[in-house]
Amino acid sequence: MEAIEAKNLRKSFGPVTAVDNVSITIPEGGIFGFLGPNGAGKTTTIRMITGVLIPDTGTVQVLGTDVDKDPLTAKLKMGVIPENGTVYSDLTAEQNILITAKFFGMDRASRERRAGEILARLGLEERRNDIVRTFSKGMRQRISIACAIVHSPPVLILDEPTTGLDVYSRRLVIDTVRHMSEQGSTILLTTHNIEEANALCSMISIINKGKIVATGSPEKLKKTFDTSRYVEISFDQPVGPGLFSAPGITRAEPWGDKWRVFTDDPDRAVKHLASASERDHLTIVSIATSNPTLEEAFVRLTGDV
Ligand SMILES: Nc1ncnc2c1ncn2[C@@H]1O[C@H](COP(=O)(O)OP(=O)(O)O)[C@@H](O)[C@H]1O
Ligand SMILES: [Mg+2]
């Protein structure tokens, strides 16, 4: 059984097709990232998966339960942190968690034990009795996450959980996501932050203009565009472009105080650069080879290049 199986989701708002035939299959375990620029359709997809928005067409199953036909059962299997996390501003940090636990039918002892555990994990222990209204955005987001994980959901869905957070809150949110994953929850998160997707996710779908344009592990997506390799090098004195004319080097450009030397064969290019600088009595000050990045894949797939 899949954790999430979404088939052929479509949603239009008037003339705008926000989600255009999106299908995603997320097996149990692992952290699945939904990566795309602003306006790509991430939130609309998440809202359909979590049963908040009815799709124009398509179906969603969460651990075998159809979200449209049996929304209550489906929702009990999910913890959801929506784009603008919802918290009760007039309650304290702890009351927010306790009341959510009660909605999920947990008994008093487990509510209290779990609330204590989560407050500590999210760095909120000292503020447990303070009214949430006074909290910063990062603290509110931590409460939102605390409420979403209180019933240890097998599937945890987070829409841009770290966007706009301070460094400390961001760290705690990411640690909590990793912890939930280690505890066996399947995670689906959206982000427009490529580094975050690269660091957290075992699988990524890249979405652009309502359509999925690529799916794979971060490493696989990087390799899709493994063609533009270069060596970045600097010397102790100015050099001319002639230094770089050699077999295997396609072109060289000045790049700040360095040169970028493009090549299909970095090994061959580095060996040439070493022997040419030896010959010309140049000292190499720095040298680095590029690795394909997820950013490159992302820009190629979503940009107009
Ligand atoms: N309730 C709505 N009414 C009208 N247009 C919407 C609504 N929700 C989203 N959209 C539009 O759908 C597109 C996708 O939005 P969204 O799913 O929020 O993207 P993302 O979360 O990737 O930034 C955007 O063009 C957005 O303006
Ligand atoms: Mg969004």
Side-chain angles (χ1 to χ4, degrees), residues 11-14 16-19 34-47 53 83 159-160 190-192 207 209-210:
K11 186 76 197 178
S12 297
F13 299 104
V16 178
T17 303
V19 173
F34 211 37
L35 174 68
N38 287 332
K42 302 181 295 296
T43 296
T44 306
T45 305
I46 294 294
R47 293 176 73 209
L53 189 68
E83 190 165 39
D159 193 2
E160 304 232 13
T190 76
T191 180
H192 63 256
I207 182 170
K209 296 178 184 152

Side-chain angles (χ1 to χ4, degrees), residues 86-247:
T86 43
V87 288
Y88 300 103
S89 296
D90 294 323
L91 300 183
T92 66
E94 186 168 31
Q95 284 166 343
N96 263 280
I97 301 171
L98 290 174
I99 204 168
T100 310
K102 205 166 178 180
F103 288 150
F104 282 111
M106 293 165 67
D107 62 50
R108 178 186 289 264
S110 16
R111 293 201 294 269
E112 283 172 3
R113 182 183 42 77
R114 186 80 176 133
E117 202 177 287
I118 293 177
L119 284 163
R121 169 161 299 283
L122 286 159
L124 293 162
E125 249 171 343
E126 282 166 22
R127 304 293 303 269
R128 69 195 304 155
N129 295 318
D130 294 348
I131 302 284
V132 167
R133 185 177 298 288
T134 62
F135 284 13
S136 68
K137 173 161 196 226
M139 287 169 67
R140 284 167 166 264
Q141 179 72 327
R142 282 185 268 148
I143 305 273
S144 181
I145 291 183
C147 293
I149 64 174
V150 71
H151 60 305
S152 308
V155 175
L156 184 63
I157 300 177
L158 309 96
D159 193 2
E160 304 232 13
T162 62
T163 299
L165 299 194
D166 56 281
V167 175
Y168 177 66
S169 294
R170 183 166 185 277
R171 185 77 262 153
L172 287 169
V173 168
I174 287 176
D175 286 350
T176 305
V177 167
R178 285 216 171 96
H179 176 75
M180 290 298 290
S181 172
E182 281 158 22
Q183 297 293 303
S185 294
T186 303
I187 317 277
L188 165 61
L189 63 86
T190 76
T191 180
H192 63 256
N193 183 323
I194 299 159
E195 264 328 297
E196 186 164 294
N198 188 28
L200 266 178
C201 301
S202 41
M203 283 287 282
I204 295 174
S205 272
I206 298 181
I207 182 170
N208 189 39
K209 296 178 184 152
K211 290 192 167 76
I212 289 181
V213 290
T215 298
S217 67
E219 291 313 310
K220 187 186 149 213
L221 291 176
K222 289 176 205 175
K223 288 201 182 99
T224 315
F225 298 102
D226 193 6
T227 47
S228 64
R229 310 288 298 270
Y230 57 82
V231 178
E232 214 167 70
I233 188 164
S234 65
F235 303 97
D236 62 334
Q237 51 187 284
V239 302
L243 190 76
F244 305 108
S245 61

